[in-house]
Amino acid sequence: MNSYNDNLHNTIVSSLLNQELEKKQIYSQANAAMFSLYHAEAATITAQSKLTTATEDQTAKQAVNDQSVDATNISNNLVSAADQSNTYLKQAVTNTSVGAANVQIATNAIVKLAGDMGTVFSIVNAADFQSDIYDLTTDAYALINNTAQLAEVASDTAMNTSIKTSEVPGSAVLTKAKNSNTALGNLYSITTSDFNNASAVVATDTVNVATASVAEEKAQGTFENLSVEYRAAFSAYRTMNSELNLGLSTLHMPGMNDTSRNISFSLLRSPFPVLDKTIKAPLGPVQTYYVMLVKDQSKTTFSIVNAEAIVLNENAKQFIKIDGTNYTNYLPSATEPQQKTSTKKSAKTGAAPEPGSTTNPTRFSFSFDFFNMDANTTEPTLMVDSDGDPIALGTDYVLFVMAVYTEAYKKKLNTFDDYLSAGSVKFTLTHKLEGVTATSITLGLNTQAETQAAHPFAFNFPMSGNAGYTVQYRCMLLPYGTEEVPTGMMNELSFLELQADLLRMQQEADSYDAQISGLNEKLAA
């Protein structure tokens, strides 16, 4: 691999790895915040239960005080959110400004190069008209002019992005949030003082409820913020993987067995379609794709050298081979949801590629059983990883895609390197245990003679799943009461609503991305 391709591959791998680590870190923080939220909610429920017992004659004042507490909690989270938004906004303004400046510097360099190329073209036109070097110079001149035009569009887009970002009034929102928080804090002090005058005992319990509620709402706000950050990190990784790593993914789809996964990735295309009219193969510039299995702990050291050694070894259990003779077996089915693919029209023909077409495929998507590679055999055929070990349950793996370019394409580029993707998101093949349905649990007599004397009663419920796996069940008894739960706390329904809001925001962002892409295509045309 030449130095440019080597550096590019290392950059892609490093970027995906850093984004994946950030996603894991935020996910761990969100889990920790969720447990903190559980404890805070438990403390709030306990304090509210004590308060309910002691304040039967103080309902009116208690209601006013509770409303003040809820409003203060919401205001605290609002200030926290506004402060976080203002901090990120300042960072975004700086980043977009620096980015716009860097893009402008690159644009100036490209435009200068285009001017120099024009001078070279004039010299060649005068000295070597209609010669081989004249034809090559003509092609290069056309390409550099197209690149310069695209650079100008990119510079304009970066400038507009910087302008729009700087117009967001984050500091004003933060100031108003702090003022509102101060006013609500004053209101909370007044209602608490009035409530303490009515009853010392009720006042003490109310302070406990307020303290627990503030901690609970603050924990909820932290959890919601981390949920948003995790969604953003997940979306960033998905976008980065789609743009830089063929959109390589490994998913367990509904209806699949435990050892099967859906594997999908986009096909490589030539960056110069106008110059590649001679490539008539259905897979474009690629002769063969190889999908290889690598242990997650080895993904940072797995390189094109290792991949080429596996191909040369010709062990069919170590890779999935896709070439011009069998590629139709790996195309998405008509009922399968299609991935987003580019619909940019050709500059010459005006025809857009048809996703899933057998004559012009853009993406492979297929179901694969790692424990039974060859469905035609009676004995299961386990896939072998890059170390030569058969795949095993409970081990973390990633997938790599190696693309072997056609000889004609390599000669056209004057480089004979093949392509190796970065690793996919890790996956683990496990046996899924079947849970017990809560409504099926009944309390009855213990029929086991050896334990009947010590434990006369037993919980009965049906079990399903693989009999080859021994499963032990534990029962937890929790108190059941009719006390009202404090309002405003996050529960399963509000958590699902939060997830739905995040998904809706992501869909709105995706729709804007499509509109921006369409505008860029119009500008390029």
Side-chain angles (χ1 to χ4, degrees):
M1 181 176 288
N2 60 48
S3 59
Y4 175 80
N5 288 339
D6 193 17
N7 292 335
L8 177 61
H9 180 76
N10 291 338
T11 300
I12 292 174
V13 171
S14 177
S15 299
L16 287 171
L17 180 61
N18 291 337
Q19 190 63 40
E20 184 177 3
L21 291 176
E22 181 181 358
K23 184 178 65 171
K24 290 180 180 178
Q25 180 181 6
I26 296 176
Y27 181 75
S28 300
Q29 293 175 353
N31 276 342
M34 181 173 63
F35 285 112
S36 298
L37 178 59
Y38 288 160
H39 290 292
E41 287 183 344
T44 303
I45 293 173
T46 301
Q48 185 66 42
S49 177
K50 293 180 180 179
L51 179 62
T52 302
T53 303
T55 58
E56 293 181 356
D57 60 340
Q58 301 292 331
T59 303
K61 292 183 179 180
Q62 177 184 345
V64 173
N65 191 67
D66 286 346
Q67 291 178 7
S68 176
V69 171
D70 290 340
T72 303
N73 293 333
I74 294 173
S75 178
N76 287 335
N77 286 326
L78 179 61
V79 171
S80 177
D83 182 66
Q84 184 184 41
S85 174
N86 187 52
T87 301
Y88 287 170
L89 177 60
K90 292 179 179 178
Q91 183 179 356
V93 170
T94 302
N95 291 344
T96 53
S97 299
V98 173
N102 291 338
V103 171
Q104 184 60 45
I105 292 173
T107 300
N108 293 337
I110 293 172
V111 171
K112 184 178 183 303
L113 178 59
D116 295 339
M117 196 65 195
T119 302
V120 173
F121 176 76
S122 298
I123 295 172
V124 173
N125 183 43
D128 297 291
F129 182 73
Q130 292 185 344
S131 65
D132 291 340
I133 191 171
Y134 172 80
D135 294 336
L136 293 175
T137 306
T138 301
D139 292 342
Y141 185 50
L143 290 175
I144 193 61
N145 284 338
N146 185 37
T147 303
Q149 191 273 336
L150 293 177
E152 291 291 350
V153 173
S155 177
D156 182 67
T157 302
M159 291 299 180
N160 289 332
T161 301
S162 178
I163 293 172
K164 296 297 184 182
T165 305
S166 63
E167 291 178 352
V168 179
S171 58
V173 173
L174 177 59
T175 301
K176 292 182 179 180
K178 288 182 177 180
N179 292 337
S180 299
N181 187 59
T182 301
L184 288 174
N186 295 334
L187 178 61
Y188 168 73
S189 299
I190 294 173
T191 55
T192 302
S193 177
D194 187 33
F195 192 71
N196 289 336
N197 292 334
S199 173
V201 176
V202 174
T204 302
D205 291 339
T206 301
V207 171
N208 293 337
V209 170
T211 303
S213 181
V214 168
E216 181 269 324
E217 288 293 333
K218 188 170 293 187
Q220 177 179 333
T222 301
F223 175 68
E224 290 180 353
N225 288 338
L226 289 171
S227 297
V228 173
E229 290 185 19
Y230 174 74
R231 185 71 185 185
F234 177 83
S235 178
Y237 180 85
R238 183 188 65 176
T239 302
M240 187 179 298
N241 184 63
S242 175
E243 296 294 335
L244 303 179
N245 198 36
L246 306 181
L248 178 60
S249 65
T250 310
L251 300 176
H252 186 270
M253 308 297 288
M256 287 184 175
N257 57 39
D258 294 337
T259 58
S260 294
R261 291 293 186 273
N262 178 265
I263 301 173
S264 63
F265 60 90
S266 299
L267 277 71
L268 288 169
R269 288 300 179 191
S270 169
F272 307 113
V274 177
L275 301 179
D276 294 329
K277 295 180 180 179
T278 58
I279 299 177
K280 303 297 183 180
L283 302 184
V286 177
Q287 175 180 327
T288 308
Y289 287 96
Y290 294 92
V291 182
M292 302 177 182
L293 185 69
V294 180
K295 293 184 180 70
D296 181 63
Q297 63 186 12
S298 303
K299 68 180 180 181
T300 56
T301 58
F302 189 78
S303 65
I304 188 68
V305 176
N306 305 116
E308 290 174 343
I310 291 175
V311 173
L312 292 175
N313 190 35
E314 295 184 350
N315 183 356
K317 295 182 180 180
Q318 278 192 294
F319 51 74
I320 305 170
K321 183 178 180 181
I322 306 175
D323 55 23
T325 62
N326 68 347
Y327 73 95
T328 55
N329 299 330
Y330 299 95
L331 296 179
S333 61
T335 58
E336 185 176 341
Q338 295 289 339
Q339 294 277 349
K340 287 186 177 180
T341 54
S342 174
T343 57
K344 181 179 288 186
K345 295 184 178 180
S346 170
K348 291 292 184 182
T349 63
E354 181 181 349
S357 169
T358 56
T359 58
N360 190 12
T362 60
R363 188 170 182 83
F364 289 130
S365 181
F366 55 94
S367 176
F368 184 77
D369 191 342
F370 291 92
F371 273 57
N372 190 16
M373 293 183 64
D374 189 357
N376 298 322
T377 61
T378 57
E379 294 294 331
T381 306
L382 275 67
M383 190 172 186
V384 178
D385 63 24
S386 61
D387 297 328
D389 301 325
I391 190 170
L393 295 178
T395 302
D396 295 333
Y397 294 101
V398 297
L399 291 180
F400 281 81
V401 174
M402 176 184 175
V404 178
Y405 292 114
T406 63
E407 292 299 324
Y409 186 71
K410 291 179 179 178
K411 291 178 180 179
K412 185 179 293 293
L413 295 183
N414 195 27
T415 178
F416 294 87
D417 295 331
D418 292 317
Y419 171 84
L420 180 67
S421 72
S424 66
V425 176
K426 74 174 181 180
F427 66 97
T428 308
L429 299 181
T430 57
H431 175 71
K432 182 179 179 181
L433 300 179
E434 298 294 335
V436 178
T437 305
T439 55
S440 67
I441 302 175
T442 58
L443 178 62
L445 295 176
N446 186 2
T447 58
Q448 303 293 329
E450 60 273 14
T451 60
Q452 190 175 32
H455 306 285
F457 297 100
F459 289 102
N460 302 312
F461 52 87
M463 294 185 298
S464 60
N466 194 326
Y469 294 92
T470 303
V471 181
Q472 295 183 351
Y473 294 88
R474 296 290 185 267
C475 177
M476 181 180 295
L477 298 178
L478 301 176
Y480 176 81
T482 58
E483 293 82 2
E484 294 184 359
V485 177
T487 59
M489 290 199 306
M490 176 173 283
N491 51 31
E492 182 179 6
L493 178 60
S494 58
F495 176 73
L496 293 177
E497 291 176 350
L498 172 63
Q499 296 297 320
D501 289 339
L502 295 178
L503 180 59
R504 184 170 60 254
M505 292 169 60
Q506 182 62 51
Q507 291 173 345
E508 291 179 357
D510 291 343
S511 67
Y512 285 123
D513 289 341
Q515 295 178 23
I516 293 173
S517 178
L519 292 175
N520 288 337
E521 291 182 6
K522 290 181 179 179
L523 291 173

